Amino acid sequence: MTTKLVARAEQELPEVLADLRRLVEHETPSNDKQALNAGLADIERWLAERLGEPVSRQRHDGGERGDVLDVTYPGTTGGTVLLLCHYDTVWPVGTLAEWPFTVDGDRITAPGCLDMKLGIVHGVWALRLLRELDVPHPSVRFLLNGDEEIGSLASRPHIEQACTEATATLVLEPSREGMAKIRRKGLGLFDLAVQGVESHAGLDPTAGASAIHAIAELIPAITALAAPERGTTINVGLLSGGTGRNVVAGRATCEIDIRIQDPAEMARIDAGFRELAVSDDRIRVELTGDWNRPPMNPNPLSEKLFEQAKAAAQEHGRALEGTSVGGVSDANFVSALDKPVLDGLGAVGAGPHSRDEHVIPSESPGQIATLATLISNLRNF
């Protein structure tokens, strides 16, 4: 069936896609403060053009990272729905010159289009259509984060504060083939540095203590801590060390990515790290890093929120399913506080963080209508 919201979203689809192009063509890589500032300034101008001036506005300084923009638009009923988005991408400035915004039938490809600039656009148009059609709705608060792709270290306290003040939080990360994301793994990022003793590998091999040999002992001990049956996986993704073929290595390092589903796994992994040891007592081992995001597991309020989302989709003749993913997002922080949160309500497409990144524009009207209906229905949540 085609509802008024879907019909209006279909009618406005050219404008929706023009907005996507506008956001994409302001490149906003996570590690480029100047580009992030320029991109966020244009997003704020665009918000005013589409929604008018907010009733409240704060811009939190992210330091070396992207700033956080926090704006609220008034509703016609009680309550506040938080729309959580990030405007940073993994793509460096200059990517657009070699990979421009391209429309190919029912497929648009461009850096950051899926993750997650179309999600931001969907959120703005959902609210705009609610207003145009005089649909009752709570206040809508947008929190736009500029460092999600690199851990949300600057934005996390603002996310946690905002979600405690909201009726519910909706995260406009891309869907998984149209499915909402109801469960995410937690993430640990650790660095292992091993200091050895250098010597000549031919003339005086026993005088040295190889950091490379030592880290070769440690990596199997680290990966043995994985427990796939519990949802815990460990990947050593980068390894470096030594200075030459004929030198007993004085230093070696590796970078470790850990994903967990059960929060109790953090303590078990931490204990395993404390027991790491090497056979040569001349070796010094230093482990740094931390747990970047706790896992996102459904709590009762989030389960209720998902049921509301399924009902909203059904109003437009759509079936919304939920899925679990290994990636992380800012929804992890909200879930860890036992607040209601639902993720993956943004664009439909595939290929995030790859040159195949793309969105399917024909899916946008249904996504926008479902989001708008969910926002409206949350006035009674």
Side-chain angles (χ1 to χ4, degrees):
M1 67 179 178
T2 301
T3 63
K4 286 185 179 180
L5 275 168
V6 173
R8 284 290 292 122
E10 288 175 344
Q11 183 180 351
E12 296 290 358
L13 185 58
E15 291 297 309
V16 170
L17 300 181
D19 287 348
L20 171 62
R21 182 168 195 154
R22 175 174 177 169
L23 266 61
V24 163
E25 291 185 346
H26 272 85
E27 293 176 292
T28 49
S30 306
N31 291 307
D32 190 326
K33 181 72 171 185
Q34 183 176 358
L36 289 164
N37 282 342
L40 187 57
D42 188 64
I43 286 173
E44 192 161 9
R45 288 190 293 270
W46 167 68
L47 286 171
E49 292 167 14
R50 290 302 188 197
L51 298 174
E53 294 298 324
V55 291
S56 68
R57 173 198 178 276
Q58 286 184 295
R59 180 163 168 164
H60 304 287
D61 185 1
E64 295 181 355
R65 296 167 178 258
D67 292 351
V68 179
L69 181 64
D70 183 350
V71 294
T72 300
Y73 293 90
T76 58
T77 66
T80 299
V81 174
L82 176 64
L83 298 186
L84 190 53
C85 313
H86 69 86
Y87 63 94
D88 65 318
T89 78
V90 300
W91 302 104
V93 169
T95 304
L96 199 64
E98 58 191 47
W99 176 22
F101 186 96
T102 303
V103 181
D104 181 11
D106 194 22
R107 187 179 190 272
I108 293 175
T109 180
C113 63
L114 178 70
D115 190 11
M116 61 166 292
K117 291 187 174 179
L118 186 52
I120 301 172
V121 174
H122 281 186
V124 169
W125 276 95
L127 177 55
R128 183 180 171 96
L129 294 185
L130 286 172
R131 290 171 161 188
E132 288 183 1
L133 296 174
D134 293 322
V135 179
H137 64 276
S139 296
V140 176
R141 182 176 182 178
F142 290 87
L143 196 72
L144 295 159
N145 163 8
D147 68 343
E148 191 273 346
E149 296 290 6
I150 52 175
S152 298
L153 296 183
S155 55
R156 180 175 181 173
H158 306 296
I159 294 166
E160 292 178 333
Q161 179 63 36
C163 77
T164 63
E165 299 168 352
T167 304
T169 298
L170 307 179
V171 183
L172 304 187
E173 290 277 2
S175 71
R176 181 74 174 265
E177 299 177 348
M179 294 181 285
K181 296 170 181 175
I182 60 174
R183 189 185 301 269
R184 286 183 177 272
K185 288 192 175 184
L187 172 64
L189 300 173
F190 297 91
D191 297 306
L192 184 68
V194 178
Q195 187 69 47
V197 180
E198 289 185 338
S199 70
H200 194 294
L203 297 176
D204 203 6
T206 59
S210 174
I212 287 179
H213 294 182
I215 208 167
E217 292 181 43
L218 292 168
I219 288 174
I222 291 168
T223 57
L225 294 171
E229 71 280 3
R230 303 177 200 171
T232 301
T233 59
I234 299 178
N235 181 62
V236 177
L238 187 63
L239 177 64
S240 62
T243 56
R245 184 193 303 268
N246 61 347
V247 180
V248 175
R251 185 167 177 82
T253 62
C254 70
E255 297 181 7
I256 307 161
D257 177 297
I258 303 178
R259 308 282 169 146
I260 61 167
Q261 199 69 69
D262 181 354
E265 286 289 271
M266 289 188 282
R268 186 183 69 81
I269 297 293
D270 288 343
F273 279 155
R274 289 193 293 270
E275 295 175 1
L276 292 176
V278 293
S279 57
D280 192 325
D281 60 12
R282 294 174 294 172
I283 296 289
R284 296 292 175 264
V285 177
E286 181 183 18
L287 182 75
T288 57
D290 208 344
W291 295 98
N292 175 254
R293 284 179 170 90
M296 171 189 171
N297 292 313
N299 56 52
L301 286 173
S302 293
E303 290 173 343
K304 178 182 176 183
L305 180 58
F306 180 47
E307 292 302 315
Q308 292 266 28
K310 290 195 290 185
Q314 193 169 26
E315 288 188 37
H316 304 292
R318 309 174 81 227
L320 181 65
E321 298 180 5
T323 189
S324 301
V325 295
V328 299
S329 81
D330 291 332
N332 291 61
F333 300 133
V334 182
S335 179
L337 296 174
D338 285 329
K339 300 298 179 182
V341 61
L342 186 59
D343 197 356
L345 296 174
V348 178
H353 298 197
S354 79
R355 290 287 176 141
D356 186 48
E357 181 172 4
H358 66 275
V359 297
I360 302 172
S362 64
E363 295 285 351
S364 285
Q367 291 290 99
I368 292 169
T370 297
L371 177 61
T373 299
L374 176 57
I375 291 170
S376 174
N377 291 347
L378 289 178
R379 67 189 188 275
N380 299 317
F381 188 73

